[in-house]
């Protein structure tokens, strides 16, 4: 699968330039096959055109956004399907035509024009100051480090969540609904929905072990197709791959307003 990581910001405007700093750092890393890291601070309309060219399976946007939080704090937002009227889309496109760019504007224009993939996440840092400046404040610089960790986690989890989507589709109308292994799989997929929505990967490994045990005990039921068997094991193996990488990860919990996810301290 392909993932586009995009830095969004106002160039050389202090903390609001954080997206550029993020992609400069991430662009030097090996984030895996199919991962593109690009600067997306050149206007929302041009970003939409780029999304149409690349057609990524997932997008992770990173930058500063002023929302009245503690300066330097980091929040993860899983972008839902937006309910925008044609007038709202037209208004957003009009704003974009001026060259102004922000994470919200990119999301609204790309969604309104049908270029935003279903799985889109925004990773935001609350700025401490703006205005002409080529440097970040100390608060934003600290937030940048945490935000980069969140972006890395989103990228490495993307194949797992894509597999979960495929399995949910195949489970529709599943004839082995009463099989213990199928029940274990459904529980794991429900947990992975929370991972996708809230950024927390907590009980998935325990549920993986239950699924593995049920399959090994021959509790998958009769008539399983080879493609299903391959997908089930691929999901288990993907969780095996992730487990050592998740040690010491920043646990995420829903923000108080219910609209985002805020990061706890790393342990």
């Amino acid at each position: 699968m392909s993932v586009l990581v995009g830095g969004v910001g106002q160039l050389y405007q202090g903390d609001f330039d954080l997206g550029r700093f993020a992609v400069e750092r991430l662009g030097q890393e090996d984030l895996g096959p199919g991962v593109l890291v690009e600067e997306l601070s050149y206007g929302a309309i041009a970003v939409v055109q780029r999304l149409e060219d690349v057609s990524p399976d997932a997008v992770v946007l990173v930058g500063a956004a002023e929302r009245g939080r503690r300066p330097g704090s980091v929040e993860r937002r899983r972008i839902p399907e937006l309910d925008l009227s044609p007038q709202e889309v037209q208004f957003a496109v009009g704003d974009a035509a001026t060259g102004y760019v922000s994470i919200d504007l990119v999301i609204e224009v790309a969604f309104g024009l049908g270029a935003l993939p279903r799985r889109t996440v925004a990773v935001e840092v609350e700025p401490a100051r703006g205005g002409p400046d080529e440097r970040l404040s100390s608060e934003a610089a600290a937030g940048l480090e945490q935000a980069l960790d969140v972006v890395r986690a989103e990228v490495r989890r993307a194949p797992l969540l894509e597999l979960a989507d495929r399995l949910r589709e195949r489970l529709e109308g599943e004839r082995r609904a009463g099989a213990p292994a199928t029940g274990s799989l459904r529980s794991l997929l429900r947990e992975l929905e929370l991972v996708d929505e809230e950024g927390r990967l907590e009980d998935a490994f325990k549920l993986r072990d239950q699924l593995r045990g049920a399959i090994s005990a021959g509790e998958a039921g009769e008539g399983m197709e080879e493609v299903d068997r391959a997908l089930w094991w691929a999901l288990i193996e993907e969780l095996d791959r992730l487990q050592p990488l998740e040690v010491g990860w920043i646990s995420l919990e829903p923000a108080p307003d219910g609209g985002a996810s805020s990061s706890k301290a790393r342990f």
Side-chain angles (χ1 to χ4, degrees):
M1 67 174 300
S2 61
V3 181
L4 175 62
V5 177
V8 180
Q10 301 168 31
L11 298 179
Y12 309 110
Q13 295 297 306
D15 292 352
F16 290 95
D17 194 17
L18 185 137
R20 179 175 63 86
F21 286 89
V23 297
E24 285 180 355
R25 291 275 300 279
L26 293 168
Q28 299 175 22
E29 302 179 14
D30 180 9
L31 297 178
V35 180
L36 296 174
V37 179
E38 297 189 3
E39 174 64 65
L40 301 181
S41 300
Y42 42 73
I45 298 297
V47 171
V48 169
Q49 294 170 342
R50 181 58 178 157
L51 289 174
E52 292 173 339
D53 290 340
V54 176
S55 296
D57 298 302
V59 166
V60 182
L61 301 175
V62 56
E66 194 170 23
R67 303 191 191 278
R69 301 162 296 201
R70 176 178 55 80
S73 62
V74 178
E75 287 193 324
R76 171 197 186 270
R77 289 195 297 143
R78 172 67 162 85
I79 307 304
E81 184 171 339
L82 303 181
D83 183 18
L84 297 177
S85 68
Q87 291 77 15
E88 289 172 319
V89 173
Q90 186 176 11
F91 183 78
V93 171
D95 272 356
T98 67
Y100 173 72
V101 65
S102 69
I103 288 177
D104 285 346
L105 190 60
V106 166
I107 290 169
E108 291 172 4
V109 173
F111 182 86
L113 298 181
L116 200 67
R118 189 185 64 81
R119 179 165 291 111
T120 297
V121 170
V123 180
E124 303 176 349
V125 176
E126 184 73 20
R129 65 166 186 257
D133 198 336
E134 297 186 10
R135 300 169 300 172
L136 297 177
S137 67
S138 58
E139 296 92 338
L144 172 63
E145 298 303 319
Q146 197 174 56
L148 293 177
D149 277 346
V150 177
V151 172
R152 294 178 187 116
E154 291 298 324
V155 170
R156 68 174 176 255
R157 294 172 180 178
L160 171 70
L161 300 177
E162 180 72 13
L163 271 171
D165 285 345
R166 292 181 62 188
L167 279 163
R168 287 189 196 94
E169 292 173 359
R170 294 192 66 84
L171 277 177
E172 291 182 5
E174 174 59 64
R175 296 181 180 180
R176 295 183 308 280
T182 302
S184 296
L185 176 62
R186 291 185 187 278
S187 296
L188 177 54
L189 293 178
R190 284 194 293 271
E191 178 65 22
L192 292 178
E193 279 189 294
L194 292 177
V195 174
D196 198 11
E197 294 300 324
E198 301 178 3
R200 292 183 290 177
L201 189 56
E202 295 177 353
D203 295 331
F205 300 118
K206 178 177 68 176
L207 293 170
R208 170 210 57 193
D209 293 341
Q210 293 176 2
L211 175 61
R212 194 200 313 267
I215 295 174
S216 299
E219 297 175 344
E222 299 295 330
M224 175 181 280
E225 297 182 16
E226 284 303 314
V227 65
D228 289 316
R229 188 179 303 276
L231 287 173
W232 286 34
W233 279 113
L235 189 72
I236 290 171
E237 290 169 357
E238 190 60 29
L239 282 162
D240 289 345
R241 180 188 70 86
L242 284 176
Q243 189 167 14
L245 301 175
E246 296 289 329
V247 175
W249 167 238
I250 303 169
S251 178
L252 296 177
E253 63 182 5
D257 61 5
S261 298
S262 59
S263 60
K264 289 181 178 179
R266 182 196 293 269
F267 49 84

